[in-house]
Amino acid sequence: SYVRKTNGSLWRSTGSGWEQVVDANVTAVAAGQHHCLFLKTAGSLWAIGSNAFGQLGDGTYAHRANPVQVVGSGVLSAAAGGNHGIFAKSDGSLWAMGDNSRGQFGSGDTSNLKSPVEVLPSGVAAGNPSVLGYVLKSNGALLHQGSATAQNNAGTTHATPGVYLPGGVVQVANPYLQLVYLKDDGSLWRQRHYGQAEQLEPGGVAAVAGANKHTLYLKKDGSLWAMGLNNNGQLGDGT
């Protein structure tokens, strides 16, 4: 696991303690299964860790024990999945790298990407740009591609991004085999694998995050809620 401290330094767990990876200027961190992406103050994107699928985006499949720079500037946000990375740039474009075995990047094929490839040229939401198989645009539209996760009611595969919801979405999360999304009216929705969408909360939700098989969401009253797999106590409900 990786932690960013308030002084901008980045630390990682060694199993027996913590060691410093970067001493300053880290603004955001996104951790995948065995790799980490992080942003620095000038908008540069850096990567460290496992690279078997090209998820570090440095043009190689070499694992990196020390950070390597992927993009020099202009990156606003990044997300890391199991074996992939996605980031949004200041021009509204969306880029992807790593495991693309199910066409989930919408690049038109299923080749793994060891260097970043542009998925969409513009209009991508900066704060919460993408989860595996889905892309949120700045106008609130949600796009989907590939054969990953829920897709749509018919289970259609999209080689390039297609419209899943035309608008009103402000945040997305992607726990295992389902899509969870927050709408601009504060309602929270879920669509299971190839199933119909169902409303989880009618309103009052401020933020949502999804992990492998569980979901957490924060309500506007400051309360924290959880659902899903709890075999390691990840829901925090005492069971």
Side-chain angles (χ1 to χ4, degrees):
S1 60
Y2 290 82
V3 171
R4 182 183 72 89
K5 299 185 73 172
T6 55
N7 65 358
S9 61
L10 181 66
W11 297 71
R12 67 182 165 197
S13 172
T14 64
S16 59
W18 292 87
E19 64 177 356
Q20 184 173 275
V21 179
V22 180
D23 60 0
N25 299 321
V26 175
T27 60
V29 181
Q33 184 173 2
H34 297 296
H35 73 292
C36 176
L37 305 178
F38 62 92
L39 301 183
K40 299 187 77 173
T41 50
S44 60
L45 178 66
W46 298 72
I48 187 172
S50 176
N51 198 25
F53 296 85
Q55 60 264 48
L56 300 188
D58 66 348
T60 77
Y61 293 108
H63 305 314
R64 301 291 183 179
N66 297 306
V68 59
Q69 183 173 285
V70 182
V71 179
S73 63
V75 178
L76 292 182
S77 59
N83 296 302
H84 73 280
I86 297 173
F87 60 92
K89 298 186 74 173
S90 56
D91 60 4
S93 60
L94 182 71
W95 298 72
M97 52 205 181
D99 181 14
N100 187 36
S101 58
R102 291 177 289 176
Q104 56 264 44
F105 294 149
S107 59
D109 62 22
T110 57
S111 301
N112 292 338
L113 310 175
K114 63 181 180 180
S115 297
V117 170
E118 187 179 83
V119 177
L120 288 173
S122 62
V124 174
N128 182 227
S130 181
V131 294
L132 186 61
Y134 295 89
V135 176
L136 178 60
K137 300 199 73 178
S138 56
N139 63 1
L142 187 62
L143 308 183
H144 58 138
Q145 65 274 339
S147 59
T149 65
Q151 301 307 346
N152 57 27
N153 296 338
T156 303
T157 294
H158 290 262
T160 57
V163 175
Y164 176 74
L165 291 171
V169 180
V170 296
Q171 197 174 8
V172 289
N174 199 186
Y176 184 68
L177 292 181
Q178 60 183 309
L179 170 71
V180 179
Y181 55 94
L182 175 62
K183 300 191 73 174
D184 54 13
D185 61 2
S187 61
L188 188 66
W189 297 75
R190 169 175 63 190
Q191 179 168 324
R192 296 182 185 275
H193 192 49
Y194 300 149
Q196 296 288 340
E198 61 176 326
Q199 188 179 81
L200 299 173
E201 294 280 358
V205 178
V208 62
N212 184 23
K213 296 180 182 179
H214 70 286
T215 303
L216 304 176
Y217 61 94
L218 182 66
K219 299 190 75 171
K220 292 178 181 178
D221 62 8
S223 60
L224 180 66
W225 297 71
M227 57 188 177
L229 189 68
N230 198 30
N231 60 318
N232 291 309
Q234 55 264 53
L235 302 188
D237 65 348
T239 73

